[in-house]
Amino acid sequence: MGIGHRKIRLISIGSKGQLGRSIEAVCRTHPSIEYLGLDRAQLDIREQGALESYLRTRPSSLPSVVVNCAAYTSVDAAESHEGEAYAVNAYGAGYLAYSALMSDLMMIQISTDYVFDGSATSPIAEDAEPSPLSVYGETKYMGEYNVRHLLGLRGLVLRTSWLYSPYGVNFVHRMRELAQGHKQLRIVRDQIGSPTYAPHLAEAIVRLALVAVQEGCFRAQTLHYAGAGACSWYDLARATIELGGYDTEVVPITTAEYPTAARRPAYSVLSSERIGSLYGIEPQPWIEGLREYYRHIGRDQHTQ
């Protein structure tokens, strides 16, 4: 497609998280990318101007794209730590967007299916009206607004859902962990979404960044990328147990049987049609992502 020949700098904020680590792994395979990963110790997005200050110590003439993977992601804790969630997800994203504007950078803001209320009955398109049920969803939606308002087509809000990877703690990792010490797991069956393998999302992000630098802007302000298809948390847990070869029974329960501090959307399947039509990026089926996850951790165990 004629992309990737112009050298760029990709700046990943929140680089120690599962998506940040996945982006770094993809960037290592691209000689046209100078990768700069920043964790919270190096850059706290809650501080206005932090990115500009840091970049003054690492000047570069390369066209740059900043990817904001930093977020307050403890969905239930956000209900009682509202100030912290707003500081990171809403205001922090805005500070980064303003720094991107002042420093002539483009920006990709990672957002979530939790900006929707779960009332949909078919895959949700980018122009559907958000109506978050939780503080986490509210703060992420405000972060989206800040990025779009400040950057126009120099910024991209990229929503994803049910993210997991071989790195860090996530639902799939937790199911594997629990399966080693429990004969039975009780998992919610009436919440439906699209599990997304973070390395697949990372590949899409890098492609989007390369095209954006070539063209000088993004082709849309908001896109969705999630694993193709849909399932419940119960389905994902059962597939995780079966593919992992664990002898653990998975029992379906209702949301009412597993109360949480934050309300979750009952249906948050994201439509990824727009990213396909605009960029030719087609997410793989969610089950393929899970199979690749197991191949990856199998390789890691083999080399230890």
Side-chain angles (χ1 to χ4, degrees):
M1 293 194 302
I3 65 172
H5 300 296
R6 185 181 183 189
K7 193 168 180 65
I8 75 167
R9 175 190 261 189
L10 191 146
I11 305 164
S12 175
I13 311 295
S15 60
K16 294 295 178 62
Q18 58 177 343
L19 182 56
R21 292 176 66 181
S22 299
I23 290 171
E24 180 179 6
V26 174
C27 286
R28 285 199 220 104
T29 69
H30 282 266
S32 59
I33 296 176
E34 177 191 284
Y35 174 80
L36 178 60
L38 303 176
D39 62 20
R40 182 172 171 177
Q42 296 166 298
L43 189 144
D44 189 339
I45 68 171
R46 298 173 299 177
E47 298 175 7
Q48 191 167 4
L51 179 58
E52 293 151 283
S53 297
Y54 184 88
L55 292 179
R56 281 195 286 271
T57 71
R58 296 286 297 271
S60 173
S61 60
L62 293 176
S64 301
V65 179
V66 57
V67 183
N68 183 25
C69 304
Y72 187 101
T73 57
S74 299
V75 177
D76 290 317
E79 295 296 310
S80 55
H81 296 81
E82 189 171 335
E84 293 178 39
Y86 269 97
V88 177
N89 295 343
Y91 309 133
Y95 293 153
L96 281 181
Y98 186 76
S99 291
L101 181 66
M102 293 296 99
S103 305
D104 195 29
L105 311 178
M106 284 183 278
M107 177 175 169
I108 299 175
Q109 168 71 12
I110 306 302
S111 194
T112 173
D113 58 324
Y114 279 33
V115 301
F116 298 109
D117 64 9
S119 62
T121 55
S122 60
I124 305 165
E126 288 83 353
D127 56 3
E129 186 66 31
S131 180
L133 299 173
S134 63
V135 169
Y136 169 70
E138 290 172 2
T139 59
K140 291 297 287 183
Y141 181 44
M142 182 177 283
E144 290 186 7
Y145 172 84
N146 289 336
V147 172
R148 280 191 288 261
H149 178 70
L150 286 165
L151 292 174
L153 285 173
R154 296 278 290 177
L156 169 66
V157 171
L158 184 61
R159 295 187 186 124
T160 190
S161 62
W162 295 24
L163 201 64
Y164 69 96
S165 75
Y167 316 113
V169 179
N170 50 68
F171 182 84
V172 171
H173 173 87
R174 184 68 176 144
M175 291 302 101
R176 291 178 52 238
E177 196 173 59
L178 290 172
Q180 295 174 41
H182 296 78
K183 292 188 178 298
Q184 185 185 90
L185 299 177
R186 292 162 52 83
I187 308 296
V188 170
R189 193 177 197 172
D190 56 356
Q191 294 173 24
I192 308 298
S194 299
T196 307
Y197 186 51
H200 289 171
L201 175 60
E203 290 169 6
I205 288 168
V206 169
R207 286 184 62 181
L208 291 167
L210 289 168
V211 173
V213 166
Q214 290 287 106
E215 299 180 350
C217 66
F218 295 100
R219 297 174 184 173
Q221 282 193 299
T222 309
L223 291 173
H224 291 169
Y225 181 99
C231 69
S232 67
W233 290 114
Y234 163 80
D235 297 324
L236 178 56
R238 187 172 175 181
T240 300
I241 297 305
E242 289 177 354
L243 287 174
Y246 297 102
D247 186 23
T248 303
E249 181 187 11
V250 184
V251 177
I253 62 172
T254 65
T255 296
E257 294 175 90
Y258 188 76
T260 54
R263 291 175 63 196
R264 268 74 168 171
Y267 182 95
S268 60
V269 178
L270 299 177
S271 169
S272 299
E273 286 187 13
R274 181 182 289 180
I275 199 171
S277 62
L278 291 180
Y279 289 95
I281 294 173
E282 302 287 347
Q284 295 186 47
W286 68 265
I287 192 66
E288 291 303 320
L290 190 59
R291 291 190 179 109
E292 189 167 321
Y293 165 90
Y294 270 111
R295 286 193 291 269
H296 183 105
I297 64 172
R299 289 194 301 269
D300 283 356
Q301 291 168 352
H302 181 72
T303 56
Q304 286 177 357

